[in-house]
Amino acid sequence: MKIKFLIFILTISVSLSFINAQERTKDTIDDQVVNVVKPYTPTISDAFKIKDTPKLNDSNAVKKKAVKYNIFSIPVASTFTPAKGKAATVDKASAVKLYDNYASLGVGTYTTILGEVYLNHELSSTENVGGYFSHHSSAGGIDDVVLDNNFSKTSLNTHYSQKLRDFSWKIDAGFDLQSYNWYGLPEDFYTDSEINDIDPSHTFNSFNIGGKLNFEDALVNDGSVRFRRFGDNQDSGENRFIAKTSFDIPIQDQDLSTEFYIDYLGGSFDTSLNSNEELKYGNITFGLAPSYQLKQDDLTVDLGLRLVYLNDTEFDENKFFIYPNIEATYRLIDEIVIAYGGIKGGLIQNSYYDFANENPFVAPSLFIAPTDQRYNGFIGLKGKLSNNVSYNIKGNYFAEENKALYKANSISTDVVELEDYQYGNSFDIVYDDVTTFSVAGELNIDVNRNFTLGIKGEYFNYSMDEQDEAWNLPDVTGSIFMDFQISEQWYTGASAFFVGERKDRQDVTGTLIFVEPISATLDSYFDINAHLGYKISDQLSVFGKVNNLLNQDYQRYLNFPVQGIQVLAGATYQFDF
């Protein structure tokens, strides 16, 4: 305001001065008339430039002397000849020849045979065909086990794939044959003659066929289908069909990532555990999981949910489930510290195939039902301490309804018309509502690809609803993996597994006696394995393996001890055709 006021005063003052000047001029100068005779023709006067070399009137000036000189050009003979430069050679390692196929065979103690064959052939630049065969068997011979305890696992898989301009596809098929024994017979319950009448063998067979499609720059990202037939030598059978697809739904400038699946399961057992009636099970589920991703600076959030519709085909029941599907990550310190967390859930489809692969000593008389994982909340930190060291720390909280637990079957003292798995030497499935809290840690070290080390550990705490214990679930697990390339020819590696204590309980049934249930605590165990190999040539190498290095006589499940120290040696040959 002061500035504006000063400008205003200054303007008024200048105007008044100009008016006064005009008035004074009128007082002294009379009006005159000027007649213009001709147009004005201006001229330009001459300019006077300063000379470049002005004359100096100096008596002390020194006069320049004239200098006369001549240049004589004389050629000089040179004997120097520069040598041509050469680029320095760089020592580079010879390219390692990679082969598409290999065959491996090893034999060891307990009459163990281990074999693998992998084949892959490029029919053209866009087509591949291949197959895989594996076999692992042992004649048994576990100390203090009276029943046969041999096992055998054989797998055969083939595949064909093709990659085109806009999409790629693959089809594969496989067959599996596994043989185990219910050798975990409880002590002091059966006579030698009764034991001799037991045939503990249990054989599984499986056939599967499926395919997968991947699309480039399309609304549908991928799709897959899989059919599996699983059965055993006890007239059990199971069919499962799974179809999945994922696609993006454009919404304005963003995409809504969506997954959809159909899961059908149906099967039957020849008899149930406590009756001679056929036990059937089956259901079909439809799942839809849309997810929307938000990104802002160092924060990434996936917001979604999972909708599942369940139709129980045997009990004619329908259920609808809604699960959270949320996850977020935030980079606290670039790649060094990344915080993450979320809450997810889902309906877990249990099957006879999955149970038998996890515990091959289950009885062929299970009640199969899905597990409702209401939510799985997790939070953690992960990142890289350096280019070679990464870590992950995570906490979990699970809330599951109808969680499947392995529990030892009852010991029956009435041996009349008992099945071979009803002598307390098999496992049943029991279900309960379980909440689980766990803390896990992981550390991975990778140095120049010549040395890798991985360490994992996890602690569990269970809360049960009806069952007294979380049967056969450990409270602590841990593992260590290590691989080391000693030289171009020598390589070695080791692995170790730690499993904490587990609980189990076995009832005793019979018409003539009554015995309290047998509660058992399985000891923790530490299983160390190691291998050493030597590369004779680019194609041929030999190896040796040692399993259960500490020769621990632990039980993986109640009354099922494992083999002691095992030594195996063999060779691997790589080739092309």
Side-chain angles (χ1 to χ4, degrees), residues 452-454 480-484 492-497 528-532 549:
T452 59
L453 175 66
I480 300 175
F481 298 90
M482 186 272 290
D483 285 299
F484 180 48
T492 186
S495 62
F497 304 91
I528 300 178
N529 310 303
H531 68 269
L532 177 67
L549 188 62

Side-chain angles (χ1 to χ4, degrees), residues 196-248:
N196 293 331
D197 293 335
I198 300 176
D199 181 10
S201 64
H202 193 195
T203 302
F204 303 104
N205 57 80
S206 173
F207 169 77
N208 71 91
I209 185 171
K212 186 173 183 180
L213 279 168
N214 290 306
F215 297 93
E216 298 289 341
D217 299 327
L219 182 63
V220 178
N221 298 324
D222 55 51
S224 64
V225 295
R226 175 74 55 190
F227 171 78
R228 183 184 303 276
R229 171 66 182 181
F230 181 72
D232 62 12
N233 61 343
Q234 303 291 323
D235 295 329
S236 306
E238 180 181 81
N239 297 318
R240 189 172 185 182
F241 175 79
I242 303 175
K244 297 180 180 180
T245 184
S246 65
F247 52 91
D248 296 329

Side-chain angles (χ1 to χ4, degrees), residues 47-282:
F48 297 95
K49 298 190 295 181
I50 300 176
K51 295 182 179 180
D52 294 334
T53 55
K55 292 183 179 180
L56 300 176
N57 296 322
D58 190 357
S59 59
N60 295 327
V62 180
K63 295 182 179 180
K64 295 182 180 181
K65 294 182 179 181
V67 179
K68 295 182 179 180
Y69 58 88
N70 294 322
I71 297 175
F72 299 96
S73 179
I74 301 174
V76 178
S78 176
T79 59
F80 173 73
T81 303
K84 294 182 179 181
K86 293 183 180 181
T89 59
V90 178
D91 296 333
K92 59 181 180 179
S94 57
V96 178
K97 172 65 176 176
L98 300 178
Y99 296 91
D100 294 332
N101 315 277
Y102 75 88
S104 179
L105 179 63
V107 294
T109 56
Y110 295 94
T111 320
T112 300
I113 300 176
L114 179 64
E116 289 182 334
V117 177
Y118 177 79
L119 304 175
N120 183 66
H121 182 63
E122 188 177 278
L123 299 176
S124 66
S125 59
T126 61
E127 295 177 285
N128 281 78
V129 64
Y132 175 74
F133 171 81
S134 67
H135 175 81
H136 185 199
S137 63
S138 174
I142 303 175
D143 295 338
D144 301 325
V145 174
V146 295
L147 295 177
D148 293 338
N149 50 85
N150 59 294
F151 71 89
S152 173
K153 296 186 291 184
T154 304
S155 298
L156 176 64
N157 294 274
T158 60
H159 70 267
Y160 172 82
S161 62
Q162 186 178 29
K163 186 174 182 180
L164 302 176
R165 178 180 178 182
D166 298 325
F167 68 95
S168 61
W169 63 279
K170 178 181 179 180
I171 185 172
D172 62 277
F175 177 78
D176 299 323
L177 182 63
Q178 303 179 55
S179 178
Y180 294 92
N181 288 276
W182 293 300
Y183 64 85
L185 197 66
E187 297 180 354
D188 304 327
F189 278 94
Y190 303 104
T191 64
D192 291 341
S193 61
E194 293 171 343
I195 294 175
N196 293 331
D197 293 335
I198 300 176
D199 181 10
S201 64
H202 193 195
T203 302
F204 303 104
N205 57 80
S206 173
F207 169 77
N208 71 91
I209 185 171
K212 186 173 183 180
L213 279 168
N214 290 306
F215 297 93
E216 298 289 341
D217 299 327
L219 182 63
V220 178
N221 298 324
D222 55 51
S224 64
V225 295
R226 175 74 55 190
F227 171 78
R228 183 184 303 276
R229 171 66 182 181
F230 181 72
D232 62 12
N233 61 343
Q234 303 291 323
D235 295 329
S236 306
E238 180 181 81
N239 297 318
R240 189 172 185 182
F241 175 79
I242 303 175
K244 297 180 180 180
T245 184
S246 65
F247 52 91
D248 296 329
I249 301 176
I251 300 177
Q252 295 181 353
D253 296 333
Q254 301 293 330
D255 289 333
L256 185 67
S257 301
T258 307
E259 297 179 358
F260 176 76
Y261 74 89
I262 301 174
D263 191 348
Y264 167 78
L265 178 70
S268 64
F269 296 103
D270 186 49
T271 59
S272 63
L273 189 63
N274 298 318
S275 67
N276 293 325
E277 297 180 359
E278 184 180 18
L279 180 61
K280 294 183 178 181
Y281 60 94

Side-chain angles (χ1 to χ4, degrees), residues 73 156 160 201 250 259 265 282 359 403 407 455 503 515 550 558:
S73 179
L156 176 64
Y160 172 82
S201 64
E259 297 179 358
L265 178 70
N359 183 355
K403 181 179 177 63
K407 188 175 182 295
I455 303 174
K503 305 285 187 178
V515 180
L550 300 180
L558 181 62

